[in-house]
Amino acid sequence: MIPWSPLGGGLLTGKVRRNQPLPNGSRAAMNPAFAELDERTLDTIEAVVAIAEEIGKTASQVALAWTMQQPGVTSPIFGARTMEQLEDNLGAVEVEFDPAQLERLDTASALKEVYPYGNRARARQILEAMNFEFRD
């Protein structure tokens, strides 16, 4: 898989934060779709920024490195507008996470299960708790 826009249109660069106005001139400020960000997106941004601070990397590097470590991802496509952004993004290849950091990123960004998938997962839990074999 080759994901396009792994920085979420600039949302995962650390410029956009919870309870702060969108920065002037940013893609987020120019795109009406970003006017109201959902809690999952804000939680993901906060996790990316916190981990970047912990490991001494930029939020962009953390987001790109995390994307590159997802199963099946071969090469994320990012769109640097300046040489500074390009150099920063290329630093993602040097980022290493510990398992707890990966878990925090995965948890913050997890999609909510939707019908019927959530019901199926719950049915599996119930059957396994009752020692029934569950076959896919």
Side-chain angles (χ1 to χ4, degrees):
M1 177 167 39
I2 303 174
W4 176 77
S5 192
L7 297 177
L11 292 177
L12 297 178
T13 64
K15 295 177 195 169
V16 175
R17 302 295 298 277
R18 188 185 307 274
N19 300 322
Q20 293 182 8
L22 297 174
N24 289 331
S26 69
R27 289 183 197 176
M30 295 185 281
N31 187 335
F34 295 148
E36 292 185 30
L37 301 174
D38 63 16
E39 287 301 308
R40 179 183 149 267
T41 301
L42 292 167
D43 289 346
T44 303
I45 292 168
E46 296 304 320
V48 166
V49 170
I51 291 169
E53 291 171 357
E54 288 171 19
I55 64 176
K57 300 293 183 182
T58 67
S60 296
Q61 291 169 340
V62 167
L64 289 169
W66 174 45
T67 300
M68 289 187 297
Q69 293 184 25
Q70 298 304 305
V73 170
T74 57
S75 178
I77 299 173
F78 59 84
R81 291 185 292 165
T82 67
M83 185 58 76
E84 181 181 82
Q85 288 175 348
L86 176 62
E87 290 170 353
D88 179 64
N89 290 346
L90 292 176
V93 298
E94 299 170 353
V95 174
E96 294 183 19
F97 301 110
D98 66 34
Q101 290 166 332
L102 287 171
E103 178 65 27
R104 285 168 48 203
L105 291 166
D106 291 342
T107 299
S109 66
L111 296 171
K112 291 183 180 178
E113 291 183 340
V114 295
Y115 180 81
Y117 307 107
N119 289 349
R120 182 176 175 165
R122 183 68 184 131
R124 176 187 287 270
Q125 290 173 340
I126 292 169
L127 289 172
E128 287 175 348
M130 297 170 55
N131 293 321
F132 282 95
E133 183 177 338
F134 193 93
R135 294 184 183 170
D136 289 317

